[in-house]
């Protein structure tokens, strides 16, 4: 029995095989995961119906399961307002840095051979995509039994 609240076997398997510097893509329901994800990445579809599971919900579960070193978000073209999801991610990720990338730079980053896992959600918010870089476990974070 696991002690974490993250129970999805495919996600756990991909995270267990990923190490420091590996990346995890949390994609909204609009993201073209079949063409804009690293070829080695495991793709997990959690998009049962629009809006049922969003990126923020998945992020909250992942932040309790893995250390995150940094993140990248997709932003709209210059001159358009920043989507509310991005402020939400920054608040949850603090103090880890969150870098902004335009749409095509984000796609290029997600196609990296370092992408270990892509989780496709049913998030209906636009520009709700998030690319995490896995950090290292701090000493003393495992409680001895």
């Amino acid at each position: 029995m696991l002690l974490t609240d993250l129970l999805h076997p495919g996600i756990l398997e991909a995270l267990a095989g990923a190490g420091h510097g590996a990346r995890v893509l949390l994609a909204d329901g609009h993201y073209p995961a079949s063409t804009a994800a690293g070829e080695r990445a495991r793709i997990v579809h959690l998009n049962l119906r629009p809006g049922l599971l969003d990126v923020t919900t998945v992020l909250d579960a992942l932040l309790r399961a893995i250390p995150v070193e940094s993140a990248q978000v997709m932003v709209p073209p210059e001159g358009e307002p920043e989507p509310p999801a991005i402020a939400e991610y920054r608040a949850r990720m603090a103090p880890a840095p969150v870098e902004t990338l335009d749409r095509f730079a984000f796609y290029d980053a997600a196609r990296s051979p370092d992408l270990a896992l892509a989780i496709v959600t049913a998030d209906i918010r636009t520009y709700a995509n998030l690319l995490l870089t896995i950090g290292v476990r701090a000493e003393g974070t495992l409680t001895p039994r």
Side-chain angles (χ1 to χ4, degrees):
M1 181 55 69
L2 298 172
L3 296 176
T4 176
D5 60 350
L6 178 59
L7 300 177
H8 191 285
I11 292 173
L12 288 169
E13 179 183 16
L15 293 175
H20 178 230
R23 292 177 168 189
V24 176
L25 169 65
L26 304 182
D28 64 27
H30 313 284
Y31 193 86
S34 64
T35 59
E39 62 184 41
R40 297 182 198 164
R42 176 174 192 143
I43 299 177
V44 174
H45 294 272
L46 299 179
N47 51 344
L48 181 63
R49 68 178 173 85
L52 183 60
L53 187 62
D54 64 16
V55 169
T56 303
T57 302
V58 176
L59 175 62
D60 288 343
L62 288 179
L63 289 175
R64 291 188 295 273
I66 60 170
V68 176
E69 180 175 286
S70 63
Q72 296 170 311
V73 292
M74 180 190 291
V75 294
E78 198 171 318
E80 290 186 29
E82 186 174 271
I86 294 173
E88 192 175 283
Y89 301 156
R90 279 194 183 103
R92 281 175 161 74
M93 300 288 306
V98 178
E99 177 187 4
T100 59
L101 298 175
D102 71 37
R103 182 174 145 206
F104 296 105
F106 188 93
Y107 289 161
D108 288 344
R111 287 186 183 105
S112 163
D114 291 335
L115 188 71
L117 173 64
I119 302 172
V120 181
T121 71
D123 203 326
I124 57 174
R125 299 174 295 177
T126 56
Y127 294 96
N129 303 296
L130 181 62
L131 189 58
L132 306 174
T133 301
I134 297 174
V136 295
R137 180 191 299 246
E139 282 192 51
T141 57
L142 181 62
T143 306
R145 297 241 175 225

